Amino acid sequence: MKKIILILMILSSLVSTAFAKIQVPEDSRWVYVAGDKTQEDIWMDLYTFEFGKSLDSDYRHKDHTFGRIWFMRNMYSSDTRLVLFYEFDLQCHTARLLSGTSYDGNGNVLASVPKSYTEEAIVPDTIGETYFMIAQTLEKIHNDKEMLNLFYKMAREDSDKYRKL
C-alpha cells in the first residue's frame, strides 16, 4: 500500500510539472510588443529602459547614443521564457546582448547567456529589428514627459486588452 501511495505522489508531482505553462506576465511593468498566445509573444519592461553611453568605457562606440531595454519572449510551444537585456547603438544600427536567461514553465532557469561584447547588425524584418525600432522610438520621446506618458498609457491599454484575449 505504501508503494502505491508513493507512486501516486510521484505521478501527481510529474503531472503538475507537465502542465506548468508559460503565462503572459500580469505585472504592469511588462507591456505587450508583438506576437500571439498560440506561438509566442514579446514584452518590454517599462521600468528599466534607459538611454546614454555604453556600459563599457573601452567599447569602441562609446560616444554614440545607446538604448538599453529588457525584453521578455514567451515561446508557448516549447513552454519557455527568455528574459533578455539588450544594448542598442542607435547610430550604428547594432545590438549586443548584455544578459539573457531562459526559464521553463515552472520558473526554473534553463540557461544563462554571459554578456556579449560582440555587436551585431540589426537584420531587417526580424524580432531584433522590432526591438531596435522600440529603442529608437523611446529614445526620441523619453525626455518629453507628455509623449512618454501617452506611450505608457497606450502600451498599458494594449497590454491589458491582450491579456484578456
Side-chain angles (χ1 to χ4, degrees):
M1 186 64 161
K2 288 181 182 179
K3 285 184 180 181
I4 293 173
I5 292 173
L6 180 60
I7 290 170
L8 288 174
M9 288 174 58
I10 292 171
L11 285 175
S12 69
S13 70
L14 291 175
V15 168
S16 65
T17 301
F19 289 109
K21 291 289 183 189
I22 294 292
Q23 301 289 320
V24 298
E26 293 300 322
D27 189 340
S28 64
R29 77 180 302 147
W30 292 102
V31 293
Y32 173 73
V33 172
D36 66 69
K37 291 180 183 177
T38 61
Q39 298 294 317
E40 67 178 58
D41 54 27
I42 299 167
W43 299 77
M44 180 191 105
D45 184 355
L46 281 181
Y47 294 175
T48 58
F49 68 85
E50 60 182 321
F51 297 92
K53 303 298 179 192
S54 172
L55 291 176
D56 300 313
S57 60
D58 63 342
Y59 192 55
R60 65 188 178 104
H61 299 276
K62 66 182 178 180
D63 294 329
H64 288 189
T65 302
F66 288 85
R68 291 180 284 278
I69 303 175
W70 283 96
F71 290 98
M72 177 189 302
R73 185 173 170 191
N74 295 321
M75 295 170 292
Y76 297 106
S77 59
S78 63
D79 197 26
T80 307
R81 170 174 286 157
L82 300 174
V83 181
L84 308 163
F85 188 41
Y86 277 100
E87 181 176 77
F88 301 95
D89 181 326
L90 299 175
Q91 279 76 33
C92 288
H93 292 248
T94 59
R96 64 186 181 139
L97 184 63
L98 299 178
S99 176
T101 305
S102 62
Y103 300 89
D104 66 14
N106 293 317
N108 298 313
V109 173
L110 298 173
S112 289
V113 177
K115 181 178 182 177
S116 171
Y117 290 94
T118 304
E119 59 182 315
E120 297 190 17
I122 302 299
V123 179
D125 203 26
T126 63
I127 291 171
E129 184 180 46
T130 301
Y131 294 164
F132 183 80
M133 289 173 19
I134 290 167
Q136 274 186 320
T137 302
L138 286 173
E139 196 279 327
K140 289 177 185 171
I141 67 168
H142 80 279
N143 287 322
D144 182 334
K145 248 188 160 95
E146 187 177 326
M147 286 296 293
L148 193 58
N149 285 334
L150 182 60
F151 170 78
Y152 283 159
K153 181 179 185 274
M154 291 172 59
R156 286 195 172 114
E157 285 173 0
D158 287 346
S159 300
D160 289 343
K161 286 178 190 172
Y162 181 78
R163 285 182 178 102
K164 293 176 184 175
L165 292 177

